[in-house]
Amino acid sequence: MNTKLLASLLILLVTASLSQNNFQKGYEYCAHKKQNSTNIFLPGDMGPNSPRHSYDVLDYKLNLDIRSCFISPYPRNFTGSVIITFRIDSVLNSINLYAVNTSLLISGVGLSGVSFTHTNNTLTVNLNRSYNPGEVTQVRVDYQHQNVSDGAFYVSGGFVFTDCEPEGARKWFPCWDRPYDKATFELTAKVSANVKLGSNGKLMDSTLTGDSLYYHWKSRDPIATYLVVMSAKVNYNLDIVYWRPPDTFPDSVQMRFYYNAGENPVPIENIIGNMTTYYSLRFGTHAFEKNGFATLNSQFSWGGMENQTLTSLCPGCWSENLVSHEYAHQWFGDMITCGTWGDIWLNEGFATYCEALWYENTGGYTAYKNDIINDANTYFSGNTGFPIYRPEWINNTPPVGTLFNTAMTYCKPAAVLHMLRYTMGDSAFFRAIKSYATDTANFKYKSAVTDDFAASISQSYGSDLGWFVDEWYKQANHPVYQNYYQFIDIGGGNWAVGFQARQIQTNTPFHRMPVVLKITFTSGPDTSIRVDNNSNNQVWWWTFNRTPSAFAFDPNNDIVLKQGTTTSGLVGIAVNQNEIPGKFALKQNYPNPFNPVTKIKFDVPARSEVELKIYDAAGRLVSTIFSGVCEAGKYTADFDASNIASGIYYYELRAVNEATGGIFKDVKKMVVLK
């Protein structure tokens, strides 16, 4: 057999085997790829919620000669320079840049840079004078990339590409390599004449000089260093399609598809316009001057990487699920970038949620909800017992297997976004997310942290949603319910229906949530009631003139991250009817003082209407623990004071004997001490 033909067949077989895997979801591709990154991590120097350093990078201008990388024996070394424009934040006479020693050899500095040291993966550039806050200047760094395999700059067989997340850009150009400091970007790259090279932003020109081709790409929009990319190959296939924004007719946006021989990107090319329109309507018009996708080779064997305006895909991976995930990052991750790695859920949780939204767009709400349930189940099976938001990652980037944990970084935050939609309601939710994504003053083309997101959605909603963000993003685990409902025939064809919402988990605090309850009757329509479950052991009673037959808690399973039971029982109290007391009595609570739970015991000698209530020292009602009919017995009620302050409180028992009409009332004092 012809050796060239055999080599081509082997390439096709490898590509096919790589694209055929057990993954069905985009987040699975994405997580697997990023969990297997080989990038090195260095401590940062940021403070919580306010990441800063001594200067703000405004622009990177790279000039690289990578021509020899496309010619056998395909070396990994190249020469380059970068001009960094930056604004000074505090008085300084030098700047630090990330530059990995084993990858980059610094040969000189210029412009405002006069000398340098390069040790411990840090390049210190000494400036020609002291600069004051607000001044803008530039340094030029000349360097060589060494002939090493470093997990960020890849070379093989006529293919050259970069892959940077989370901190790999520092391996192929000196930079401030943290996600919050975004800057515009410009690249001029010298390649051999038979190479197509894609990068960020817009292709300004490509100039052929002899047997060399000079590509000039420029990103007008700020970009995080981990999203900077080159994807280049000898004889790369390139298709270009156009998307026309509905609000800027007749302008159009170029969508570039780079792909390998034997691949078929046409199905994705056919849907990318509809996907762009859908995401634009949901989150604001597509923000960049071009976009695109590039399949790579076996060195990028899994998943995708959402480089700004040019997403990398594994060979043959023209999967609609993968594309819907990675493309959503152009809004969440690229246009708005996580301010710290502790906020990575703002990237991956949103992209995973957008997979479900794309299902909703193409297959209806049931398809969306099935996908959300899949996300919830993935979380349940892989829960690490840690919260989604990780402030300890602000200064110390964790291993990639932890940073990109499938259950915690992708699936749980996507399921939480669904519960936020349920909590707010569809119109308010999508209005808030669009407001967040289109906020040019604070977030668009910038970065955000978790508290920024909480403030933004609260402002749009008109009510503080910090409680939701705190319990679902900053607390670990999930609620476990042990709920009770009760039906009581109160005569005259009327029925009382009681419900007690009770959470029993010990590995996370009480989670406030709106709760939908459905009551089914022997005749007539069902009744659905929505209540705000804002304290543990909360009790509600309703009266109906029909006979109830069934009770359902969260009948549509909108609180997808929950476990537990809802069963028939005495609402609000435990009862011992083996011993019938001789008279009414209200006992002193125990323990007292207490934090956070105490037990209140009382005796009921005969069937009675009973109310047990808690008041503060000013006589204001704090909570109704129980209200309903009690048969004769000794009762115990738990009171949880997790959501109230320390202080003196009073609990009151009021009982009316149904047979005699006699009234019993007693009040006792208790102390919450935190």
Side-chain angles (χ1 to χ4, degrees):
M1 181 180 287
N2 182 287
T3 55
K4 290 185 177 180
L5 177 60
L6 178 59
S8 298
L9 289 172
L10 287 172
I11 290 172
L12 288 173
L13 286 172
V14 169
T15 299
S17 66
L18 289 170
S19 61
Q20 299 297 317
N21 50 63
N22 294 324
F23 297 153
Q24 299 295 322
K25 295 303 310 304
Y27 73 77
E28 293 176 303
Y29 283 98
C30 183
H32 184 85
K33 181 266 164 190
K34 294 178 180 180
Q35 288 165 7
N36 287 278
S37 170
T38 57
N39 286 330
I40 297 171
F41 311 109
L42 301 174
D45 66 349
M46 296 174 289
N49 297 323
S50 183
R52 295 178 63 86
H53 55 127
S54 57
Y55 61 92
D56 175 20
V57 179
L58 303 178
D59 182 71
Y60 294 99
K61 191 183 304 292
L62 271 69
N63 195 314
L64 309 180
D65 181 356
I66 57 174
R67 185 180 186 280
S68 64
C69 301
F70 296 93
I71 301 170
S72 180
Y74 309 111
R76 298 180 183 88
N77 55 297
F78 65 82
T79 59
S81 66
V82 57
I83 296 175
I84 303 173
T85 304
F86 57 97
R87 179 187 295 113
I88 284 78
D89 289 341
S90 59
V91 176
L92 54 82
N93 55 23
S94 66
I95 63 168
N96 290 330
L97 297 165
Y98 292 108
V100 174
N101 284 80
T102 54
S103 293
L104 300 182
L105 180 64
I106 310 302
S107 55
V109 296
L111 299 176
S112 294
V114 294
S115 62
F116 70 91
T117 58
H118 186 204
T119 58
N120 298 322
N121 303 315
T122 300
L123 171 63
T124 300
V125 180
N126 300 308
L127 304 178
N128 55 359
R129 64 176 175 86
S130 290
Y131 286 82
N132 295 312
E135 290 190 87
V136 175
T137 191
Q138 296 177 314
V139 298
R140 189 189 74 248
V141 181
D142 300 316
Y143 67 97
Q144 298 175 25
H145 185 275
Q146 303 187 73
N147 190 19
V148 296
S149 178
D150 57 17
F153 183 76
Y154 292 85
V155 178
S156 64
F159 227 128
V160 174
F161 66 89
T162 60
D163 183 39
C164 298
E165 191 178 20
E167 293 167 359
R170 64 188 71 176
K171 297 177 181 178
W172 63 280
F173 67 99
C175 56
W176 185 259
D177 195 18
R178 301 294 283 175
Y180 62 87
D181 193 355
K182 301 171 73 168
T184 55
F185 174 78
E186 193 169 349
L187 169 70
T188 299
K190 178 183 178 181
V191 300
S192 52
N194 57 351
V195 168
K196 289 186 179 70
L197 182 147
S199 186
N200 310 98
K202 183 179 180 180
L203 180 60
M204 307 304 292
D205 58 68
S206 55
T207 305
L208 184 64
T209 304
D211 60 355
S212 296
L213 190 57
Y214 293 81
Y215 281 95
H216 180 199
W217 288 90
K218 186 174 183 179
S219 176
R220 68 180 184 190
D221 303 312
I223 181 172
T225 49
Y226 79 91
L227 297 168
V228 171
V229 70
M230 289 190 298
S231 298
K233 182 187 178 185
V234 173
N235 298 323
Y236 227 165
N237 290 307
L238 172 62
D239 293 347
I240 300 175
V241 300
Y242 293 87
W243 173 72
R244 183 159 290 161
D247 56 351
T248 58
F249 182 86
D251 294 341
S252 59
V253 177
Q254 192 179 82
M255 302 285 175
R256 301 171 72 91
F257 290 78
Y258 297 87
Y259 61 99
N260 300 299
E263 296 180 359
N264 180 22
V266 172
I268 300 301
E269 293 173 8
N270 289 339
I271 68 171
I272 198 65
N274 289 337
M275 190 177 289
T276 307
T277 298
Y278 178 72
Y279 286 160
S280 293
L281 292 173
R282 283 294 191 204
F283 315 127
T285 301
H286 177 272
F288 303 114
E289 55 197 324
K290 85 100 167 52
N291 224 302
F293 300 85
T295 48
L296 305 178
N297 65 7
S298 60
Q299 292 181 297
F300 190 96
S301 57
W302 301 103
M305 175 60 213
E306 65 275 11
N307 309 297
Q308 190 163 305
T309 75
L310 186 64
T311 295
S312 299
L313 300 175
C314 52
C317 294
W318 296 104
S319 157
E320 186 172 342
N321 284 339
L322 177 58
V323 168
S324 70
H325 177 101
E326 300 298 344
Y327 194 44
H329 275 306
Q330 299 301 315
W331 284 261
F332 304 107
D334 295 12
M335 184 184 75
I336 302 177
T337 303
C338 63
T340 78
W341 295 123
D343 307 283
I344 185 63
W345 76 266
L346 287 168
N347 293 13
E348 299 300 349
F350 263 99
T352 304
Y353 183 70
C354 286
E355 286 186 67
L357 288 182
W358 183 244
Y359 273 122
E360 184 173 9
N361 180 64
T362 58
Y365 187 82
T366 298
Y368 157 86
K369 189 61 176 296
N370 287 340
D371 195 54
I372 292 295
I373 296 299
N374 175 75
D375 294 337
N377 289 337
T378 300
Y379 157 72
F380 284 128
S381 63
N383 179 18
T384 62
F386 292 100
I388 293 170
Y389 168 65
R390 303 292 295 275
E392 65 270 28
W393 295 353
I394 293 173
N395 295 309
N396 297 289
T397 308
V400 289
T402 301
L403 181 63
F404 297 111
N405 180 278
T406 306
M408 308 307 297
T409 300
Y410 293 78
C411 291
K412 184 178 183 181
V416 172
L417 281 171
H418 164 76
M419 294 190 296
L420 180 61
R421 176 180 177 179
Y422 157 72
T423 297
M424 298 175 69
D426 276 18
S427 61
F429 171 78
F430 286 111
R431 183 171 60 250
I433 299 303
K434 190 170 186 177
S435 176
Y436 164 69
T438 56
D439 184 345
T440 56
N442 297 300
F443 306 126
K444 189 175 182 180
Y445 302 120
K446 299 178 177 69
S447 61
V449 297
T450 298
D451 285 345
D452 292 331
F453 176 73
S456 178
I457 60 173
S458 295
Q459 182 178 16
S460 175
Y461 191 49
S463 180
D464 181 26
L465 289 166
W467 60 268
F468 182 96
V469 172
D470 288 345
E471 68 188 22
W472 286 112
Y473 290 110
K474 295 184 178 182
Q475 298 292 340
N477 301 304
H478 54 272
V480 179
Y481 289 92
Q482 189 180 78
N483 301 325
Y484 296 100
Y485 71 91
Q486 186 176 3
F487 300 154
I488 299 176
D489 184 352
I490 57 177
N494 296 314
W495 286 78
V497 175
F499 172 69
Q500 179 181 12
R502 179 181 178 87
Q503 294 180 23
I504 61 171
Q505 70 274 3
T506 58
N507 57 7
T508 192
F510 169 80
H511 279 46
R512 170 186 175 183
M513 281 297 285
V515 172
V516 173
L517 311 166
K518 186 174 80 170
I519 305 167
T520 302
F521 299 89
T522 56
S523 62
D526 299 342
T527 293
S528 291
I529 301 170
R530 179 168 165 137
V531 296
D532 182 14
N533 179 203
N534 55 23
S535 64
N536 205 5
N537 296 302
Q538 201 168 4
V539 172
W540 296 266
W541 286 92
W542 304 275
T543 302
F544 299 95
N545 58 5
R546 294 180 290 153
T547 305
S549 59
F551 187 94
F553 168 75
D554 190 23
N556 298 318
N557 191 26
D558 283 309
I559 308 174
V560 292
L561 299 183
K562 70 176 186 307
Q563 293 175 310
T565 60
T566 298
T567 57
S568 175
L570 286 169
V571 168
I573 51 177
V575 59
N576 177 10
Q577 290 182 309
N578 293 324
E579 184 178 353
I580 305 301
K583 61 182 181 178
F584 286 102
L586 177 63
K587 311 293 180 63
Q588 184 64 51
N589 66 300
Y590 181 82
N592 188 43
F594 68 97
N595 178 31
V597 178
T598 190
K599 293 185 179 297
I600 301 172
K601 295 185 177 184
F602 59 94
D603 296 346
V604 178
R607 179 181 170 93
S608 303
E609 291 279 353
V610 175
E611 289 183 340
L612 181 61
K613 296 182 176 182
I614 309 295
Y615 297 89
D616 64 15
R620 293 176 296 232
L621 179 66
V622 172
S623 177
T624 298
I625 298 179
F626 178 77
S627 177
V629 175
C630 289
E631 301 292 343
K634 290 181 176 289
Y635 290 82
T636 302
D638 288 336
F639 175 62
D640 189 328
S642 298
N643 295 319
I644 63 175
S646 296
I648 296 173
Y649 294 85
Y650 297 90
Y651 58 101
E652 176 190 78
L653 179 71
R654 184 179 186 277
V656 179
N657 188 313
E658 282 195 348
T660 66
I663 297 175
F664 172 83
K665 183 177 178 180
D666 195 6
V667 177
K668 293 189 182 299
K669 182 171 71 174
M670 61 184 178
V671 179
V672 178
L673 186 61
K674 295 186 177 181

